[in-house]
Amino acid sequence: MSSLLLEQLPELLTIDAKPYAYSFPPKKTALLIIDMQRDFLLPTGFGEIQGGDLKMVQESIAPTKKLLEACRAVGLTIFHTREGHTPDLSDMPSSKVERQPALPGNTQHSFVIGDKATMGRLLTRGEYGHDIIDELAPYPGEVVIDKPGKGSFWNTAIMHKLKSHGITHLLVSGVTTECCFATSIREANDRGFECCGIEEATAGYNAEFKSSSLDMIHWSQGLFGFVANLQPLIDAFEPYTNPLKAATDSLSPPLTPTVWDGDLRIPALQEAYKNGLSPVAVISSLYKTIDAYEKSNTGVWIHLVPKDQALAAAEALAAAYPNKAKLPALFGVPFSIKDSLDIAGLPTTTACPPLSFIATTSSPVYDSCISHGALLIGKTNLDQLATGLTGCRSPYGMPHSVFNPDYISGGSSSGNAVTVGANLCTFSIATDTAGSGRVPSGFNGVVGYKPTRGLLSTVGLTPACLSLDCIAIIAKTVSDARKVWSLCESYDARDRYAKWPMGFERHVNSIGAAASKFKFGIPPPEALSVCSPIYRSKFYEAVAALQAIGGELKPIDWSPFDKAGRLLYDGTFVSERLASLPDDFLEKNRQNLHPVILQLFEAVVARNSTAVQAYRDIQAKALYTREAENVFGYSGEGVDVVIVPTTPTHWKTEQVLADPIKKNSILGEFTHFGNILDLCAVATPAGTYKVSELSGNESDQGELPFSITFLGGTRLDAETLEIARRFQEAGSK
Ligand code: TIU
């Protein structure tokens, strides 16, 4: 995941290596440090029982620290692994504990995994010996993978995590060369990663094994990868290393606290904070913008954190992290959240006063942002009950597009997208059931990422349509959205629709022509005919831009998308919105509902849908989902992504108010099917056009944003985000 420091490095660095020079793109390279745990490096641990002499492994500590510090100083992504087992040892195959002591006459293995030794139970999670040695302790934001095997990929989420950080290349170090280091490199190689082992920063319990293991890696012109010395790597990084960053453990105050340049993107803020900027300065400046903006675009916030509270939170955060080198990943990053997600102590209104209640616990996604150091600015407005795509259905007011006061903000996550588009926040936690995260992002020139359902916990969310609800992340850049996703993602057993992080694994293409090539599909011309002419022409421009960055346009079967979209509102699924409310809610609250929401719900009731129809729809959903799977690249035939215009057009507020239900439904033409088919989606800015090109009125001034959405198959989030990121970054060059 790229940091601002990495932006200053060349696209590709090359170092001397065996069997030939190793080239790696720093932005897509991670340092992988294998198992530098007390149990392998200190006396009385598991390693001493295995191998006896600890001298060699201990000698690798200083070079590994040097390697780690060099990688940190240029902002490289860092992964650590730890070998070990759950306290009940239920994740351990019997062979791992039975084989070695079964040797006739065994005296060496008198202690086995799980036995209590002086550093706690051997190779057992939570024990002192299981943890990484102090010298190499992970910093906040670095990824730690707990693995039950010798290899790092067996039964762990490492593949998923590497891909979600956009990694294709690995610098590998750690212990032991013959065992976990070698197994991990071999596993990584099979999955397409381009690996280079760093000789001084790996060691084992047997000198011959070390040299043989390393030789085997680069044997036969690079059977598994590369091996390099440490110094060439340090030399390659040296010109780009900021001496301030190199002083990684320094507690001394930075040289000159910087003045904030107003750049809210995560890497820019991270860099500024490391250089001494205070989050108090950012919050203080931000509230001036927020106050001023309030006057021109009302109805953005339902609850704005009072300025003195936000400043106090920023001060407390700064005091909690005095060491600028060890700031958490979202330190001082301002964010907003949709007011259908719980924050303990605050009302959750879902823009529906009769449903409002004071939350006693916070949603896990919110907690996660706070634990990574993000600062809450407020809870944002939405279409009532998160039902709508317009931003015109709330008793708390109607925000408009940040581009033009006559045009809608889109919804239902209206306030979320406006707070990011108007530079009031870095990112926003929204939701997306039928397009609610994508549509407003499109209308405000920002990124709206809807992960595969079940990857972000929906606990603490007032449901709109429980089986289709999805948390969405709105941000300025695909990279920022990806970062927030990767930090907030965790399996939550309390979420009945949660998916395990370990799912379908697709290899990465790290080098050669395939590394930049991808296949994409688009809707057929008849499906695009719903678009306004300027939308069609902007869409085909985007298609050409995708072809220019390595995209190959392939024909696809559009029918599952089309059929699933109709299923959402023409079928019985819309009844699930009523099922999410208390039984007598509609009767009791008729007069308290937004008139358009009431009209919609009454129409649903009047349909008198039957259970038979509902079951038919459930079965149809499964069929279309299977058909959509065939479209995506699970096989050689499929495409990597399907590209659609995020919406067919952009309405004026007055147009929506004149015909609220029909105008809303047209907006969902290219979003409705997303959750029905269990896809992931990234709405991404794709330039602007003149307002007059949409309205046909020559005197209309200004511009509006255009947006395309990248749709990916279930759990192909990392792949889909990477293509969207490339598109966005190519467009901004
Ligand atoms: N036995 C041995 O050399 N190593 C291990 O068991 N684990 C790792 O290499 N980390």
Side-chain angles (χ1 to χ4, degrees):
M1 200 153 297
S2 80
S3 77
L4 206 65
L5 281 170
L6 282 179
E7 300 296 330
Q8 292 146 22
L9 264 70
E11 284 297 315
L12 216 55
L13 286 175
T14 301
I15 56 171
D16 252 358
K18 288 183 225 163
Y20 58 92
Y22 174 69
S23 292
F24 63 99
K27 276 188 235 167
K28 297 174 145 229
T29 302
L31 169 64
L32 174 60
I33 306 181
I34 306 286
D35 300 357
M36 292 297 274
Q37 297 159 259
R38 298 188 182 106
D39 253 339
F40 289 113
L41 296 162
L42 302 185
T44 73
F46 182 78
E48 197 170 42
I49 297 168
Q50 292 286 307
D53 187 5
L54 296 179
K55 193 164 150 290
M56 276 182 306
V57 288
Q58 288 178 346
E59 277 172 0
S60 75
I61 296 174
T64 307
K65 189 164 167 25
K66 204 169 160 191
L67 169 67
L68 174 59
E69 288 181 351
C71 291
R72 279 177 179 156
V74 292
L76 225 63
T77 301
I78 314 281
F79 273 61
H80 305 257
T81 66
R82 296 186 298 201
E83 180 182 346
H85 296 275
T86 52
D88 64 4
L89 305 181
S90 59
D91 59 347
M92 186 172 66
S94 60
S95 57
K96 194 169 175 182
V97 73
E98 301 285 344
R99 185 189 313 118
Q100 289 170 306
L103 179 104
N106 163 53
T107 52
Q108 182 182 344
H109 287 269
S110 46
F111 285 93
V112 297
I113 295 171
D115 283 352
K116 193 149 179 53
T118 54
M119 291 190 291
R121 295 177 63 200
L122 292 173
L123 289 197
T124 306
R125 293 183 194 161
E127 301 288 338
Y128 181 74
H130 175 263
D131 222 337
I132 293 170
I133 54 170
D134 295 337
E135 295 92 319
L136 304 174
Y139 279 4
E142 296 177 359
V143 183
V144 179
I145 299 289
D146 281 323
K147 62 190 186 59
K150 304 299 184 195
S152 299
F153 288 77
W154 157 247
N155 244 359
T156 75
I158 193 171
M159 178 73 176
H160 174 74
K161 282 285 171 201
L162 287 169
K163 287 202 289 190
S164 65
H165 282 72
I167 298 300
T168 56
H169 288 60
L170 294 171
L171 301 168
V172 189
S173 71
V175 295
T176 62
T177 320
E178 59 269 18
C179 183
C180 296
F181 170 94
T183 310
S184 295
I185 282 200
R186 288 167 178 227
E187 285 181 328
N189 174 63
D190 277 348
R191 287 159 178 78
F193 294 96
E194 191 72 332
C195 300
C196 183
I198 306 301
E199 189 166 334
E200 294 79 356
T202 178
Y205 301 121
N206 180 315
E208 283 169 30
F209 284 178
K210 173 170 172 175
S211 57
S212 303
S213 299
L214 292 179
D215 287 349
M216 278 188 252
I217 289 170
H218 65 76
W219 177 73
S220 189
Q221 305 187 190
L223 182 62
F224 300 113
F226 296 80
V227 175
N229 290 114
L230 177 59
Q231 198 56 44
L233 188 68
I234 304 277
D235 292 345
F237 286 155
E238 215 278 326
Y240 312 100
T241 301
N242 182 334
L244 193 67
K245 318 291 176 317
T248 41
D249 278 316
S250 152
L251 274 170
S252 57
L255 308 174
T256 40
T258 48
V259 177
W260 185 41
D261 61 2
D263 192 339
L264 276 165
R265 290 169 305 161
I266 295 171
L269 281 176
Q270 276 176 334
E271 182 72 352
Y273 287 138
K274 279 186 184 159
N275 282 330
L277 177 70
S278 162
V280 177
V282 172
I283 296 299
S284 168
S285 162
L286 211 52
Y287 269 74
K288 289 196 191 102
T289 316
I290 291 169
D291 288 345
Y293 194 72
E294 186 98 50
K295 297 183 184 78
S296 64
N297 199 354
T298 51
V300 174
W301 303 99
I302 290 182
H303 172 80
L304 178 65
V305 175
K307 184 178 175 183
D308 56 339
Q309 274 179 33
L311 287 171
E315 254 169 56
L317 187 72
Y321 294 97
N323 185 344
K324 303 275 183 252
K326 286 191 189 178
L327 300 178
L330 297 176
F331 177 85
V333 174
F335 77 108
S336 61
I337 189 165
K338 191 169 183 169
D339 197 19
S340 54
L341 281 147
D342 293 347
I343 297 180
L346 292 179
T348 305
T349 70
T350 318
C352 185
L355 265 195
S356 177
F357 66 98
I358 309 276
T360 51
T361 51
S362 299
S363 56
V365 180
Y366 167 81
D367 277 342
S368 195
C369 294
I370 295 295
S371 73
H372 289 291
L375 287 168
L376 178 72
I377 302 298
K379 300 190 82 179
T380 50
N381 198 2
L382 62 150
D383 280 331
Q384 188 164 76
L385 297 168
T387 297
L389 294 172
T390 61
C392 304
R393 296 178 173 181
S394 167
Y396 296 93
M398 264 187 286
H400 56 72
S401 164
V402 299
F403 280 73
N404 190 307
D406 295 336
Y407 283 81
I408 61 170
S409 62
S412 65
S413 310
S414 50
N416 302 88
V418 170
T419 58
V420 177
N423 295 315
L424 314 181
C425 285
T426 297
F427 71 93
S428 191
I429 302 297
T431 68
D432 186 315
T433 304
S436 285
R438 289 163 276 169
V439 170
S441 299
F443 288 164
N444 289 285
V446 294
V447 171
Y449 163 48
K450 185 212 79 64
T452 300
R453 288 188 66 255
L455 298 186
L456 289 177
S457 172
T458 55
V459 170
L461 167 68
T462 298
C465 189
L466 192 69
S467 77
L468 297 174
D469 286 339
C470 182
I471 303 287
I473 297 163
I474 295 178
K476 282 265 192 217
T477 64
V478 176
S479 271
D480 278 3
R482 177 164 76 175
K483 178 144 206 159
V484 174
W485 166 56
S486 154
L487 291 166
C488 291
E489 186 190 25
S490 74
Y491 174 76
D492 185 350
R494 295 166 302 165
D495 178 351
R496 71 188 86 181
Y497 294 107
K499 288 193 179 84
W500 279 100
M502 276 174 279
F504 171 71
E505 277 192 2
R506 190 149 142 216
H507 65 265
V508 299
N509 288 315
S510 53
I511 57 172
S516 59
K517 289 225 170 341
F518 60 93
K519 292 184 282 185
F520 70 102
I522 59 172
E526 57 277 17
L528 290 168
S529 66
V530 58
C531 296
S532 58
I534 182 64
Y535 264 58
R536 263 199 305 278
S537 92
K538 290 300 289 183
F539 182 68
Y540 287 119
E541 260 177 47
V543 169
L546 285 162
Q547 288 169 316
I549 59 167
E552 186 191 349
L553 182 58
K554 305 277 281 185
I556 55 160
D557 174 12
W558 178 249
S559 70
F561 303 90
D562 186 46
K563 290 181 288 190
R566 317 236 161 270
L567 195 58
L568 186 66
Y569 279 113
D570 301 346
T572 56
F573 279 103
V574 68
S575 304
E576 196 186 348
R577 293 196 179 244
L578 276 178
S580 304
L581 294 165
D583 271 346
D584 51 359
F585 182 82
L586 206 54
E587 287 79 69
K588 283 205 178 136
N589 295 291
R590 203 165 239 108
Q591 67 290 356
N592 294 322
L593 287 177
H594 190 278
V596 177
I597 298 293
L598 180 63
Q599 191 187 340
L600 190 106
F601 280 153
E602 284 185 330
V604 172
V605 173
R607 281 194 205 171
N608 285 319
S609 300
T610 65
V612 170
Q613 288 169 323
Y615 275 107
R616 283 193 184 130
D617 285 354
I618 290 169
Q619 292 163 0
K621 174 177 183 283
L623 176 67
Y624 305 154
T625 303
R626 176 60 41 81
E627 289 172 358
E629 276 170 14
N630 292 336
V631 172
F632 291 98
Y634 296 98
S635 70
E637 306 287 291
V639 294
D640 296 285
V641 284
V642 170
I643 317 294
V644 294
T646 301
T647 57
T649 191
H650 195 161
W651 305 123
K652 285 185 174 179
T653 305
E654 62 187 32
Q655 290 173 299
V656 171
L657 296 182
D659 187 9
I661 292 191
K662 176 117 182 289
K663 288 288 187 287
N664 186 89
S665 131
I666 291 171
L667 292 181
E669 184 71 21
F670 300 109
T671 59
H672 281 159
F673 49 75
N675 285 314
I676 296 261
L677 300 176
D678 207 14
L679 307 178
C680 59
V682 194
T684 309
T688 55
Y689 58 90
K690 291 200 183 87
V691 178
S692 57
E693 291 178 287
L694 178 67
S695 67
N697 186 347
E698 285 300 319
S699 63
D700 281 345
Q701 299 295 307
E703 296 194 319
L704 284 167
F706 181 68
S707 168
I708 59 171
T709 291
F710 294 78
L711 298 158
T714 303
R715 315 187 70 133
L716 293 171
D717 296 66
E719 287 84 349
T720 308
L721 283 161
E722 180 58 14
I723 296 169
R725 181 195 69 76
R726 287 182 53 208
F727 173 78
Q728 187 182 30
E729 290 182 7
S732 62
K733 276 193 181 128

